[in-house]
Amino acid sequence: MIANTLTVILILAGLVFFAAGTAGLLRFPDVYSRLHALTKADNVGLGLVILGLMLQAGGPADILKLFLIWVLVLAAGTTAAHMVAQRTWTHGEFESDR
Amino acid sequence: MEWLAQQLAPGLIYPTAGAILFALGLYGLIRRHHLVLRVLALNIMGSGVFMVLLGIAARGEGPPDPVAQALTLTGIVVAVSATAFALALVVRLARITGQAMMLPGPPDDDAPVDDISREEHAPSTEYERERRE
Amino acid sequence: MSDLLLVVFDLVLLVGLLGVAWRCLASTDLFRAVVLFITFGLLLALAWVRLEAPDIALAEAAIGAGITGALLLVTLERLRSIAVERRRGRPDEPPDPAGADALLHALHDPPPPRRTFVPALTFALVVGGLMVTALWHQPDAVGLEPVVDEHMGVSGVDHPITAVLLNFRAYDTFLELAIVLIALLGAWSLGRYDRLPARPAPGPILPGTLRLLVPVAIVTGVYILWAGSHAPGGAFQAGAILGAAGILLVLARPRDLPMAPSTPLRLGLAAGVGLFLAIGIIGLFIGPGLLGYPPEWAYPLIIVIEVAATLSIALTLVALFIAGRPAGDDH
């Protein structure tokens, strides 16, 4: 019961971060501030969702898999954001952004 | 409420959405001229077909039909290789003609049509260069 | 209550899918269209999970969204670099001062002419309407699930989809591997490998991440291949994951790509089809027929074929991404 309540609270909190990140992605004016909003919000949001799901996991193997997913998404997201920022820095923003 | 949930069972609305996706892809395929967009439209049509297959496979009680799922899996891999080949053709066409468009046809049949194969283009490979000399 | 929530989820997902597909096909900017298509693929993977098809969802996320997206993006980059070259080649036109910026026009498709609107709409509506009507009046059938279930004992594996793919309908899978190989031969016949237009990213971030990710990808690929005999997974998904790792490696060093040795590369590309066919022909003599296995041998044979198919699919996907046959073997 406590675990279920905690899961709901954690996932809802994660979704709030996702919503904030998406709002930033849609509303912010340029690539850098969008990346800033997206990566920070999504990393925390995903972390909270994963934490919530860990409370429902069947055993240590599932918990480990969920943790691994989070770490991999963190690594991939960081790299992708870095590449997007780098490309914008050297080549300017995409035309469709203006 | 019960009735509504029954009408909107996944076995019914997913195939319907698949049919709509197919029609949408068909519409895009006819209307857009850039070949990359046409490849995208074909892929969307393919996804519509997969959705029809999987939606029907999920109908009824019990586990879904594994044969339809296996066929879809095969279809996805075939779709990606066909897409890769189509994109290679698009790049080759752009290299020869400078365009990656399917331009609207001539207004009437008597008008001369540009023959791509005879268009002059710089030899792009050593093989062509040797052949020309 | 939970039924109603699921219906709401279905409707939101499907409306989202249709909306993304529409925006993708209506976009005048090709880059935007491609990004929307990748989004479409990811949403589709979600739909497959909902339709109880985790195998397809895995394949869709890795192949439909990931590898197709990479192929599309590299094609756009190639088209852009072709436009740059052609512009530079003409003496009468001054070189473009804005450089890459103005060349973005090469990646634009103007809105379609108005006169195709009515015919296209009519055609699509008729075809879509016919399909919807046919689907709604289709009788509920049990499908082939009971038949497959009944014969699982002789298939050699415990996962019905792997059993269908590599035993009951092995012919389809064999032909599919052949199609993948033929697509690669078609791409190779169009010209020799030329340098990827991608610009290598300066800095240590990408190579460092790859050092971390590629071993993980290899372990995941092998795990998914092994899991395919009793759980969702198998040769296609594993091949797609390994192929994606290969594409990342290619992207990390687009300038100084090491040339693959010719003979092992070709052997690897043809391994899946070749081994499948060889085992199939052996089945003709000692087994129940072409591409059939004696039940007691089914498990090891399926594993051998799956390993070879995984290798071939991964290599073919990377080769299709590079496109063009390897330089230096035109003799």
Side-chain angles (χ1 to χ4, degrees):
Chain A
M1 183 63 202
I2 297 175
N4 282 354
T5 320
L6 267 178
T7 301
V8 170
I9 292 173
L10 282 172
I11 290 185
L12 279 180
L15 289 183
V16 169
F17 274 97
F18 268 110
T22 312
L25 177 73
L26 293 175
R27 299 290 303 165
F28 279 169
D30 66 346
V31 170
Y32 304 114
S33 45
R34 285 179 187 176
L35 282 177
H36 171 83
L38 193 66
T39 48
K40 288 207 168 34
D42 278 6
N43 288 344
V44 181
L46 183 71
L48 288 173
V49 170
I50 294 247
L51 210 59
L53 289 179
M54 275 179 180
L55 295 174
Q56 303 289 324
D62 287 353
I63 293 181
L64 201 66
K65 276 184 202 163
L66 283 169
F67 180 71
L68 203 63
I69 290 175
W70 185 55
V71 171
L72 286 177
V73 171
L74 275 188
T78 313
T79 315
H82 171 74
M83 307 281 294
V84 171
Q86 184 114 49
R87 153 129 205 167
T88 314
W89 181 250
T90 49
H91 290 89
E93 302 202 357
F94 287 103
E95 196 188 53
S96 53
D97 288 338
R98 287 179 213 149
Chain B
M1 231 35 146
E2 284 291 305
W3 178 84
L4 191 71
Q6 212 153 46
Q7 286 305 299
L8 295 175
L12 205 57
I13 54 171
Y14 277 87
T16 311
I20 299 175
L21 268 183
F22 186 87
L24 193 64
L26 197 63
Y27 178 78
L29 186 71
I30 298 171
R31 285 209 80 194
R32 302 314 300 261
H33 293 311
H34 201 286
L35 290 169
V36 172
L37 276 174
R38 291 201 163 180
V39 172
L40 287 183
L42 265 179
N43 266 299
I44 287 177
M45 283 169 77
S47 304
V49 173
F50 298 151
M51 192 173 269
V52 170
L53 268 174
L54 289 180
I56 291 179
R59 273 184 190 175
E61 302 294 312
D65 187 349
V67 176
Q69 294 199 354
L71 286 183
T72 310
L73 199 52
T74 317
I76 288 177
V77 181
V78 169
V80 71
S81 36
T83 304
F85 182 43
L87 291 176
L89 281 173
V90 170
V91 169
R92 181 75 181 142
L93 187 74
R95 196 156 279 157
I96 295 175
T97 65
Q99 294 261 17
M101 300 259 185
M102 192 78 101
L103 292 173
D108 59 309
D109 290 344
D110 298 331
V113 188
D114 283 346
D115 188 351
I116 293 170
S117 60
R118 298 192 192 167
E119 195 131 325
E120 278 298 310
H121 62 95
S124 58
T125 63
E126 263 174 48
Y127 172 69
E128 282 177 20
R129 241 173 265 141
E130 278 166 20
R131 204 180 49 178
R132 207 163 285 195
E133 275 160 13
Chain C
M1 182 60 199
S2 75
D3 274 2
L4 201 68
L5 271 182
L6 274 180
V7 167
V8 171
F9 174 79
D10 284 343
L11 288 179
V12 169
L13 181 62
L14 290 178
V15 168
L17 266 170
L18 290 171
V20 169
W22 170 250
R23 293 299 307 154
C24 167
L25 289 178
S27 143
T28 54
D29 179 16
L30 288 191
F31 181 75
R32 175 178 295 240
V34 167
V35 171
L36 283 171
F37 182 75
I38 296 173
T39 317
F40 176 77
L42 290 174
L43 286 178
L44 213 52
L46 209 57
W48 300 158
V49 174
R50 172 75 181 99
L51 288 174
E52 298 170 59
D55 296 82
I56 325 282
L58 269 174
E60 182 73 45
I63 300 181
I67 289 181
T68 311
L71 279 168
L72 286 163
L73 287 176
V74 82
T75 302
L76 292 192
E77 205 59 36
R78 285 199 171 107
L79 290 179
R80 190 205 307 270
S81 78
I82 287 171
V84 173
E85 272 170 31
R86 290 184 81 89
R87 195 166 288 246
R88 236 181 248 140
R90 274 188 223 130
D92 46 77
E93 264 179 74
D96 203 33
D101 194 68
L103 286 160
L104 279 171
H105 288 297
L107 303 181
H108 263 269
D109 190 29
R114 189 149 277 285
R115 68 189 163 79
T116 57
F117 174 67
V118 175
L121 187 69
T122 321
F123 189 45
L125 278 181
V126 168
V127 171
L130 278 176
M131 280 179 75
V132 170
T133 336
L135 287 170
W136 274 1
H137 291 93
Q138 208 201 24
D140 265 352
V142 211
L144 292 165
E145 203 274 323
V147 188
V148 172
D149 207 34
E150 199 177 305
H151 291 87
M152 280 306 288
V154 293
S155 71
V157 287
D158 295 331
H159 185 50
I161 292 174
T162 310
V164 171
L165 274 177
L166 283 143
N167 199 336
F168 304 147
R169 305 275 330 163
Y171 196 55
D172 291 340
T173 312
F174 167 65
L175 287 182
E176 181 241 345
L177 287 175
I179 286 178
V180 173
L181 188 62
I182 290 170
L184 177 67
L185 291 182
W188 275 8
S189 72
L190 291 175
R192 197 183 288 168
Y193 159 73
D194 54 350
R195 257 199 321 212
L196 282 183
R199 289 159 283 250
I205 302 279
L206 184 63
T209 315
L210 285 186
R211 262 199 293 281
L212 185 75
L213 279 189
V214 169
V216 178
I218 292 175
V219 171
T220 316
V222 172
Y223 168 72
I224 284 189
L225 172 64
W226 169 78
S229 64
H230 55 82
F236 297 142
Q237 294 92 333
I241 289 174
L242 295 179
I247 287 177
L248 277 177
L249 278 181
V250 169
L251 273 180
R253 46 196 310 190
R255 289 275 184 263
D256 51 345
L257 205 59
M259 226 53 247
S262 179
T263 317
L265 174 69
R266 275 151 213 261
L267 278 180
L269 288 171
V273 181
L275 214 62
F276 212 144
L277 187 63
I279 291 177
I281 290 178
I282 292 173
L284 193 58
F285 293 112
I286 62 165
L290 181 66
L291 292 170
Y293 330 112
E296 64 272 21
W297 278 93
Y299 181 67
L301 287 181
I302 284 178
I303 289 294
V304 167
I305 292 175
E306 281 209 298
V307 170
T310 305
L311 181 71
S312 291
I313 290 173
L315 278 176
T316 315
L317 288 175
V318 179
L320 279 173
F321 179 78
I322 294 173
R325 61 184 177 277
D329 58 9
D330 287 316
H331 317 296

